[in-house]
Amino acid sequence: MRNLLVTGGAGFIGCNFVELLLERYPDYRVIVFDKLTYAGRPENLARFRGDARFTFVRGDICDTEAVRSTFREHQIDTLVSFAAETHVDRSIMAPDAFIRTDVFGTYVLLEAMREYQLERGLFVSTDEVYGHIEPGHSSVEDDPMKPRSPYAASKAGAEHLIYAYHITYGLPVLVTRGTNNIGPYQYPEKAVPLFVTNAIDDIPLPLYGDGRQMRDYQYVMDHCEGIDVALHHGAVGEAYNIGSGVETENIVMAHAILDLLGKPHSLIRPVADRPGHDRRYSVRTDKIRALGWQPRHDFAAALERTVRWYAANEAWWRPIKSGEYREFYRQQYQSRLGQA
Ligand code: NAD
Ligand code: TYD
């Protein structure tokens, strides 16, 4: 591996992963390929600009010619793909872009991998492909996929294609299924940065339904380290769960955030639930742990680092919250908060 293409590298997890790659592998060239949707932020990449090993290409993974020319011109030998539409609520409002990017875009990347005979391709997927998990069970990689939101279904569709390309064409591809990430540079539509930034501004935290839904939150750098382990040591044709193993109810998360910021719990505002809301995700991580990975942040450390970062980096999120975000927020929350 020498020339790595990182799609979606201007997004939350992608930019943290680029940081890890440049720190750990002095001889790698990292080419970020990103469409810069609302979620892709050039400022997330600002810290790499002076590094001669780093290149940015603006492009859409659905654009076959742009993908092919990037593979060719940069002599890409390895692909790590983060590029996706990622927010469940947006997928409920407008699924089109999810199906286009997450499914068709994955197909374009697979075709380019085939044409340019890449050594390896890792596609970053999600534990949401398993769907809601009943208490008492934690998903293992061989469990069936039962996605229940347009986002999760698009990611599962992508995974089916990836596996089919491995079987049919022998493509050296693998998949990771991470749980919910928290940490720096997460677009403040996702629950944790939304709650943190609202709390800083003393505005209500919209909590869906009874707030008792569970998520396995992990620190983004732990997830990135797991992706790195899978990339270098995972077996092709396989999927690897990556998660903290710590299950946290949304209401507990909201309380913890407010406590860290010294804000009152009365800021929590129960609102109408998300349609089809998965109540619980939970994964077993024995398979990635057997490759030598383990998380390095416990829940308290992960959340504290996250909250402190948003408190210290208002210059990052305030411009986001004053742009396109306002219209999204109005559509998503105005009637919910009005009814609350
Ligand atoms: P994000 O929304 O912050 O970033 C997505 C990035 O992809 C953005 O930079 C965006 O510009 C880019 N992008 C979108 N459409 C594109 C296209 N057509 N062509 C090129 N670039 C495009 O997402 P994230 O939270 O960093 O998630 C990254 C990946 O990890 C996704 O595949 C997601 O499904 C997966 N994942 C995320 C989480 C999580 O908790 N955030 C957990 C598990 C898996
Ligand atoms: P989110 O960050 O959107 O991640 P995902 O749905 O992909 O797991 O949401 C995390 C949890 O928080 C999920 O159970 C939905 C809930 N949630 C709220 O209660 N209020 C909100 O405003 C948002 C965005 C999410």
Side-chain angles (χ1 to χ4, degrees), residues 11-13 34-35 37 40 60-61 82 86 101 125 151 155 181:
F12 164 46
I13 309 176
D34 197 298
K35 183 179 176 181
T37 66
D60 184 340
I61 59 167
F82 294 89
T86 61
T101 288
S125 188
Y151 163 64
K155 296 295 289 186
N181 286 217

Side-chain angles (χ1 to χ4, degrees), residues 87-89 128 151 180 189-192 194-195 206-208 213 215 217 250 274 277-278 281 333:
H87 192 41
V88 173
D89 292 321
E128 301 193 23
Y151 163 64
N180 290 58
E189 63 191 353
K190 304 293 195 301
V192 169
L194 175 73
F195 289 179
L207 187 69
Y208 294 159
Q213 305 85 0
R215 294 292 183 264
Y217 289 98
N250 293 330
R274 171 189 282 173
H277 195 167
D278 288 338
Y281 301 129
Y333 296 105

Side-chain angles (χ1 to χ4, degrees), residues 8-20 23 34 37-49 82 86 181-194 196-197 218-221 224 302-303 305-321 325:
F12 164 46
I13 309 176
C15 79
N16 282 287
F17 186 71
V18 169
E19 185 176 312
L20 177 148
E23 266 174 32
D34 197 298
T37 66
Y38 75 94
R41 316 294 303 178
E43 57 268 33
N44 293 0
L45 301 170
R47 60 198 188 282
F48 314 126
R49 296 267 182 217
F82 294 89
T86 61
N181 286 217
I182 59 173
Y185 303 103
Q186 186 168 31
Y187 195 85
E189 63 191 353
K190 304 293 195 301
V192 169
L194 175 73
V196 173
T197 56
Q218 62 178 328
Y219 194 62
V220 63
M221 233 0 138
C224 289
L303 188 62
R305 285 184 85 145
T306 301
V307 170
R308 299 279 164 251
W309 190 86
Y310 290 91
N313 288 277
E314 294 193 11
W316 181 84
W317 57 265
R318 285 207 184 278
I320 293 176
K321 285 192 120 177
Y325 186 88

Side-chain angles (χ1 to χ4, degrees), residues 76-114:
I76 300 302
D77 52 45
T78 306
L79 169 70
V80 185
S81 191
F82 294 89
E85 290 290 337
T86 61
H87 192 41
V88 173
D89 292 321
R90 288 188 195 249
S91 85
I92 294 167
M93 285 195 270
D96 186 278
F98 287 75
I99 294 152
R100 200 179 297 278
T101 288
D102 301 11
V103 183
F104 185 77
T106 300
Y107 152 74
V108 170
L109 292 171
L110 290 165
E111 279 293 324
M113 270 195 76
R114 198 152 81 92

Side-chain angles (χ1 to χ4, degrees), residues 246-264:
V246 179
E247 295 179 22
T248 306
E249 290 181 345
N250 293 330
I251 191 160
V252 173
M253 174 60 92
H255 285 162
I257 289 168
L258 291 165
D259 292 346
L260 277 167
L261 289 167
K263 302 283 183 173

